[in-house]
């Protein structure tokens, strides 16, 4: 067992959320959940599939007082009201900026089986009941998913001028080739003056090792720690195995990587990670810090929601040690 795998421990009673066969929109799969801990409540938005005919995803809401036992709402949390959402809303990621919650989620230009173009959209809420849709935030022809927002606006000084920017991580799959300096889909740092306009893009994390050789994508929204912004991302191997790695970004200059794990901190091992609608997938999409412990929520085999926990300091030391 590699050192990395000892850093993160699976919750022994995984999975924490399974399909509800009595509820039409979430009867087949519930996975890839965004989770946020705020005012002693764990808020969860999760991707749900209720019929396989067109593999359309919807988004459900659940909440918990302890992070392990989630109570779900019976109705769809987040209804497709816009034309761009009609083929599915996938992989919600959640952050709180100021006093609002923001959700980035994937939308498709057509049904999954038609090989649609992929975009990411943004929405906001204050109560998880009423959502305001802010539209698509990624550019055309970029096939862009795995978009996560940093939870705050960051100040900078450039040429003596003070400013503030919003940062995000995103994965434009078509940005490959010599013009982009990378030959596999990679994680880019986006920077903009608002959450919906991102003007500057910097290549950040590209595949380097076998377990992430095919592509990488951001997982959880970055978490601010004393040693840097903590990023947990997924990597896909040539055998299409989805594992998770971690990195630390400089607090003031997030384009600078200060540490990155060489081997995965989580790999599909348990049956609920190895066998599902897509086999061999661990797909982290949310994390919270509670009493110095990091709760990492992830999808297992595109079928269920799972949890693994690390001591935050131990994980950070591990990332810095790996280089
Ligand atoms: C990615 C996304 C995720 C999914 C993963 C594994 O491209 O579609 O929602 O969990 O593939 O199938």
């Amino acid at each position: 067992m590699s050192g990395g795998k000892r850093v993160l421990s699976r919750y022994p009673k995984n999975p924490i959320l399974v399909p509800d066969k009595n509820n039409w929109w979430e009867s087949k799969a519930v996975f890839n959940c965004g989770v946020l801990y705020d005012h002693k409540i764990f808020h969860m938005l999760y991707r749900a599939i209720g019929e396989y005919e067109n593999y359309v995803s919807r988004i459900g809401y659940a909440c918990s007082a302890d992070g392990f036992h989630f109570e779900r709402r019976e109705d769809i949390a987040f209804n497709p009201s816009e034309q761009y959402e009609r083929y599915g809303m996938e992989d919600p990621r959640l952050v709180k900026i100021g006093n609002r919650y923001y959700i980035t989620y994937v939308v498709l230009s057509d049904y999954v089986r038609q090989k649609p173009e992929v975009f990411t959209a943004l929405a906001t809420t204050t109560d998880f009941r009423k959502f305001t849709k802010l539209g698509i935030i990624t550019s055309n022809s970029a096939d862009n998913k795995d978009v996560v927002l940093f939870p705050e606006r960051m100040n900078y000084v450039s040429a003596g001028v003070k400013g503030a920017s919003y940062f995000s991580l995103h994965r434009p799959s078509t940005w490959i080739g010599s013009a982009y300096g990378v030959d596999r889909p990679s994680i880019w740092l986006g920077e903009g003056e608002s959450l919906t306009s991102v003007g500057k893009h910097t290549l950040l994390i590209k595949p380097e090792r076998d377990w992430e050789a095919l592509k990488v994508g951001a997982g959880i929204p970055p978490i601010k720690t004393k040693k840097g912004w903590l990023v947990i991302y997924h990597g896909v191997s040539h055998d299409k195995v989805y594992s998770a790695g971690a990195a630390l970004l400089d607090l003031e200059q997030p384009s600078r990587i200060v540490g990155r794990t060489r081997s995965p901190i989580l790999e599909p091992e348990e049956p609920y990670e190895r066998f599902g609608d897509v086999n061999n997938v661990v797909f982290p999409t949310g994390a919270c810090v509670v009493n110095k412990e990091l709760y990492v929520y992830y999808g297992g085999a595109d079928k269920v929601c799972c949890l693994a926990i690390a001591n935050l300091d131990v994980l950070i030391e591990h990332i810095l040690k790996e280089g």
Side-chain angles (χ1 to χ4, degrees):
M1 196 200 263
S2 74
K5 284 204 246 164
R6 277 193 294 270
V7 170
L8 206 55
S9 312
R10 287 174 180 82
Y11 175 54
K13 293 190 184 151
N14 267 344
I16 56 163
L17 208 75
V18 298
D20 177 354
K21 62 177 177 7
N22 298 316
N23 205 3
W24 70 272
W25 57 270
E26 55 173 342
S27 57
K28 303 290 188 200
V30 292
F31 58 113
N32 297 359
C33 51
V35 182
L36 190 105
Y37 184 60
D38 193 33
H39 289 101
K40 303 208 165 151
I41 298 175
F42 292 82
H43 297 278
M44 173 193 278
L45 289 173
Y46 57 94
R47 175 176 173 188
I49 295 177
E51 30 74 18
Y52 285 134
E53 200 188 333
N54 285 315
Y55 208 75
V56 168
S57 294
R58 300 177 177 88
I59 294 180
Y61 172 83
C63 64
S64 166
D66 61 9
F68 309 122
H69 306 94
F70 280 84
E71 220 161 284
R72 59 232 261 180
R73 201 181 284 159
E74 199 180 328
D75 297 331
I76 299 170
F78 198 63
N79 262 307
S81 57
E82 306 300 316
Q83 171 65 22
Y84 60 79
E85 297 170 330
R86 63 179 288 222
Y87 299 104
M89 301 159 73
E90 306 180 353
D91 302 349
R93 268 93 164 190
L94 256 172
V95 283
K96 191 173 183 192
I97 305 176
N99 56 7
R100 298 196 73 87
Y101 305 111
Y102 288 87
I103 303 112
T104 49
Y105 58 103
V106 171
V107 294
L108 313 170
S109 65
D110 202 338
Y111 290 115
V112 165
R113 289 199 175 82
Q114 309 301 324
K115 304 245 171 299
E117 201 184 330
V118 174
F119 302 92
T120 293
L122 180 67
T124 179
T125 182
T126 51
D127 58 6
F128 291 100
R129 292 202 174 265
K130 198 168 160 289
F131 294 85
T132 306
K133 310 280 173 78
L134 299 173
I136 288 177
I137 56 167
T138 54
S139 46
N140 287 339
S141 310
D143 262 318
N144 206 334
K145 49 168 79 172
D146 303 321
V147 178
V148 295
L149 304 177
F150 284 67
E152 62 185 58
R153 200 170 179 204
M154 280 184 254
N155 295 321
Y156 65 83
V157 182
S158 173
V161 181
K162 282 189 190 162
S165 290
Y166 290 99
F167 285 87
S168 58
L169 302 178
H170 62 114
R171 207 279 307 284
S173 293
T174 57
W175 290 15
I176 49 177
S178 51
Y180 297 100
V182 69
D183 52 13
R184 300 296 323 170
S186 299
I187 300 173
W188 292 69
L189 179 73
E191 183 180 343
E193 57 190 30
S194 78
L195 289 171
T196 49
S197 72
V198 185
K200 189 176 163 195
H201 301 277
T202 313
L203 180 60
L204 187 69
I205 298 175
K206 51 186 179 178
E208 280 178 3
R209 319 241 161 213
D210 283 351
W211 66 269
E212 55 183 12
L214 227 48
K215 55 184 174 181
V216 289
I220 66 163
I223 289 184
K224 195 174 199 176
T225 74
K226 282 190 196 123
K227 300 282 172 76
W229 290 102
L230 172 65
V231 171
I232 295 183
Y233 65 95
H234 66 261
V236 188
S237 70
H238 283 296
D239 299 336
K240 306 256 173 64
V241 175
Y242 281 70
S243 305
L248 275 174
L249 311 179
D250 186 89
L251 280 179
E252 265 138 49
Q253 224 185 307
S255 57
R256 203 171 76 79
I257 299 174
V258 292
R260 178 174 174 187
T261 52
R262 274 179 245 151
S263 48
I265 53 171
L266 193 68
E267 284 179 283
E269 282 169 359
E270 296 294 331
Y272 53 81
E273 300 162 342
R274 293 178 53 216
F275 310 108
D277 287 353
V278 179
N279 292 344
N280 294 312
V281 177
V282 296
F283 198 83
T285 37
C288 330
V289 179
V290 186
N291 299 330
K292 297 194 172 178
E293 305 234 86
L294 182 75
Y295 288 39
V296 180
Y297 293 88
Y298 64 98
D302 284 10
K303 191 74 173 173
V304 292
C305 293
C306 306
L307 166 65
I309 300 179
N311 175 283
L312 186 59
D313 293 338
V314 172
L315 174 62
I316 289 170
E317 281 318 306
H318 172 71
I319 300 170
L320 292 173
K321 206 169 70 200
E322 289 247 300

